[in-house]
């Protein structure tokens, strides 16, 4: 799928085929996409635990359910538990110097190994590493970028996926030996869409002129209609929801699984 | 609480309308749902509004919020109710989820089991 169509097609797919497992290769594609995401300091922020629903012992699965999380866990054949490794700042000087050696960070932009050792680490990065609020902010931002790649990769692989509030983090930690330094972020549910791939149509978004600005924040971004039309042709902008049959689609799916209408 | 009485309760009327059960084609279905809710009210000795209220709490600032404890208790009670009717499998899940549907349409976020 072309990049723009992937981004335009991505939306939270909550109806997944519970009977169809996801091929391991496709999960690897998602993980690789996440691993290739932008990351400051080239640090290892994202950590993920991939678990197939049917491989989880029944007694462990039961502990993951609660009155607000059960439908998704039953419908999705694969779960990816995403974490921030809160130790991500460790080793930052070495990683940055590696980038200097590779000329990814170069003197043209002010970089040198000496700068990393003498100033950047002791005066900038070490204080960040010692500040829990900044550590959390940066970790959440960077892991979010990685997850975004994984979401888009899933769409490109023909999968349905959505993010869900992390369920029972302490129980997951205990059941799957999650290290102490990992902080839970999102539970990504993965499977083959049971609903139409459009999942009722593209979700509503405010216009670019509402969201973004140019030059200063008093000047809204002005859309070029020709570009907008091109993006419609290329699939970044798609038919907005709800499709005329959406209500019926959800009703039928609900009945299929005995869920509330 | 009788089905006739239940029909007049605002929270029940809201449920029927919000879930789209109010089309003439679905009148039999509605009757069936109301019977189940009526039975559940008898089982819990609560009226429909009290069922919703039991899932809510008032915060220190005076706001109404969902009570995790209350919701869990009602969820457990739904399980007991279904068991008391001798239901199992798909039917048990459907009846339980119908009652959850009443609470959901009245603002109580919750999920039930999936019939697989």
């Amino acid at each position: 799928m072309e990049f723009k169509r992937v981004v335009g097609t991505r939306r939270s797919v909550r109806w997944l085929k519970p009977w169809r497992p996801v091929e391991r290769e496709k999960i690897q594609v998602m993980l690789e996409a996440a691993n290739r995401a932008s990351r400051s300091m080239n640090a290892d922020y994202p950590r993920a635990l991939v678990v197939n629903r049917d491989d989880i012992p029944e007694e462990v699965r039961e502990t993951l359910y609660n009155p607000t999380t059960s439908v998704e866990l039953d419908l999705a054949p694969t779960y990816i538990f995403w974490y921030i490794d809160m130790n991500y700042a460790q080793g930052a000087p070495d990683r940055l110097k590696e980038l200097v050696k590779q000329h990814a960070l170069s003197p043209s932009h002010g970089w040198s190994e000496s700068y990393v050792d003498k100033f950047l680490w002791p005066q900038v990065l070490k204080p960040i590493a010692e500040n829990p609020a900044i550590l959390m902010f940066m970790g959440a931002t960077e892991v979010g970028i990685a997850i975004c790649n994984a979401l888009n990769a899933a769409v490109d692989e023909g999968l349905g996926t959505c993010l869900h509030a992390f369920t029972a983090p302490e129980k997951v930690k205990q059941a799957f030996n999650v290290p102490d330094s990992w902080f839970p972020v999102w539970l990504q549910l993965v499977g083959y869409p049971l609903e139409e791939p459009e999942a009722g149509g593209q979700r509503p978004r405010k216009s670019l002129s509402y969201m973004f600005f140019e030059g200063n924040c008093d000047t809204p971004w002005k859309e070029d209609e020709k570009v907008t039309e091109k993006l419609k042709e290329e699939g970044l902008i798609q038919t907005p929801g709800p499709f005329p049959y959406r209500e019926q689609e959800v009703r039928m799916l609900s009945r299929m699984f005995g869920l509330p209408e | 609480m009788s089905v006739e009485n239940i029909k007049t309760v605002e929270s029940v009327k809201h449920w029927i309308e919000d879930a789209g059960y109010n089309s003439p084609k679905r009148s039999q279905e509605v009757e069936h749902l109301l019977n189940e809710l009526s039975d559940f009210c008898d089982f819990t000795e609560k009226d429909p509004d009290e069922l919703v209220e039991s899932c809510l709490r008032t915060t220190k600032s005076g706001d109404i919020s969902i009570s995790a404890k209350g919701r869990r208790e009602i969820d457990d009670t739904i399980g007991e109710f279904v068991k008391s009717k001798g239901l199992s499998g798909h039917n048990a899940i459907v009846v339980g989820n119908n009652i959850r549907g009443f609470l959901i349409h009245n603002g109580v976020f919750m999920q039930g089991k999936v019939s697989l």
Side-chain angles (χ1 to χ4, degrees), chain B residues 21-83:
Chain B
Y21 289 127
N22 51 353
S23 102
K25 278 193 237 166
R26 306 186 77 184
S27 58
Q28 274 191 322
E29 206 180 330
V30 170
E31 210 60 24
H32 181 69
L33 290 169
L34 292 173
N35 265 308
E36 284 172 353
L37 183 62
S38 167
D39 286 354
F40 187 64
C41 286
D42 292 343
F43 184 78
T44 57
E45 297 179 343
K46 287 185 164 86
D47 66 35
D49 286 343
E50 287 171 333
L51 290 176
V52 176
E53 279 162 23
S54 64
C55 297
L56 305 176
R57 68 184 179 90
T58 305
T59 64
K60 281 179 191 165
S61 58
D63 296 324
I64 304 293
S65 162
I66 292 173
S67 157
K69 183 170 172 273
R71 177 172 54 193
R72 188 176 284 279
E73 282 170 3
I74 278 285
D75 196 56
D76 290 344
T77 309
I78 291 171
E80 288 162 21
F81 167 69
V82 164
K83 206 180 274 180

Side-chain angles (χ1 to χ4, degrees), chain A:
Chain A
M1 211 187 284
E2 292 296 324
F3 172 75
K4 293 189 192 81
R5 191 166 297 279
V6 168
V7 176
T9 304
R10 188 224 58 80
R11 63 209 61 166
S12 293
V13 172
R14 296 184 174 84
W15 295 97
L16 301 164
K17 290 177 181 169
W19 56 84
R20 186 170 175 186
V22 177
E23 297 84 345
R24 201 168 172 280
E25 304 89 87
K26 294 195 172 190
I27 299 296
Q28 183 169 334
V29 172
M30 293 170 62
L31 296 176
E32 190 65 52
N35 206 28
R36 296 286 158 193
S38 167
R39 45 171 74 176
S40 61
M41 298 188 284
N42 204 21
D44 300 325
Y45 298 88
R47 297 296 171 130
L49 167 68
V50 180
V51 183
N52 289 319
R53 179 199 55 208
D54 295 343
D55 295 339
I56 304 174
E58 193 60 35
E59 63 276 15
V60 175
R61 256 178 81 184
E62 281 300 319
T63 67
L64 304 181
Y65 292 107
N66 62 50
T68 60
T69 307
S70 56
V71 176
E72 290 90 349
L73 296 179
D74 277 340
L75 295 184
T78 299
Y79 313 153
I80 305 180
F81 296 95
W82 285 100
Y83 296 86
I84 308 165
D85 184 352
M86 298 302 282
N87 288 337
Y88 63 78
Q90 287 175 11
D94 288 341
R95 284 192 302 270
L96 288 166
K97 284 191 285 185
E98 192 180 15
L99 292 180
V100 171
K101 281 194 185 88
Q102 287 188 6
H103 306 286
L105 297 173
S106 63
S108 58
H109 289 64
W111 287 89
S112 66
E113 291 189 48
S114 296
Y115 167 65
V116 172
D117 281 335
K118 288 182 188 169
F119 303 106
L120 185 66
W121 175 249
Q123 291 176 15
V124 181
L125 301 180
K126 193 162 174 282
I128 286 175
E130 290 166 355
N131 183 324
I134 299 179
L135 206 61
M136 182 62 76
F137 159 73
M138 283 182 60
T141 303
E142 303 286 341
V143 173
I145 297 169
I147 294 172
C148 180
N149 272 17
L151 288 168
N152 284 322
V155 174
D156 193 42
E157 292 296 317
L159 299 168
T161 187
C162 79
L163 297 178
H164 191 280
F166 208 103
T167 182
E170 284 306 315
K171 286 163 186 164
V172 173
K173 184 178 177 185
Q174 196 181 351
F176 303 109
N177 301 326
V178 174
D180 289 339
S181 66
W182 292 16
F183 184 87
V185 181
W186 282 111
L187 165 59
Q188 183 176 9
L189 302 155
V190 191
Y192 281 89
L194 180 60
E195 58 191 314
E196 298 285 338
E198 297 91 348
Q202 203 167 37
R203 307 300 191 240
R205 292 287 192 268
K206 296 275 197 311
S207 67
L208 297 190
S209 60
Y210 177 87
M211 297 293 297
F212 307 116
F213 300 86
E214 186 173 20
N216 60 56
C217 290
D218 298 322
T219 312
W221 176 269
K222 196 175 173 195
E223 280 185 49
D224 179 336
E225 283 305 317
K226 281 184 195 158
V227 175
T228 304
E229 284 309 308
K230 188 167 177 279
L231 294 178
K232 284 180 183 173
E233 282 167 27
E234 292 178 342
L236 184 57
I237 302 171
Q238 299 184 7
T239 308
F243 285 179
Y245 54 80
R246 178 60 174 174
E247 193 180 344
Q248 191 71 355
E249 181 185 24
V250 170
R251 178 168 292 153
M252 292 296 126
L253 291 168
S254 300
R255 284 185 189 176
M256 186 174 173
F257 295 110
L259 292 168
E261 292 183 25

Side-chain angles (χ1 to χ4, degrees), chain B residues 6-19 22 34 102 106:
Chain B
I6 269 187
K7 277 180 185 170
T8 64
V9 177
E10 278 308 312
S11 57
V12 176
K13 286 200 273 188
H14 174 74
W15 169 40
I16 299 302
E17 195 181 318
D18 204 44
N22 51 353
L34 292 173
F102 161 72
N106 280 288

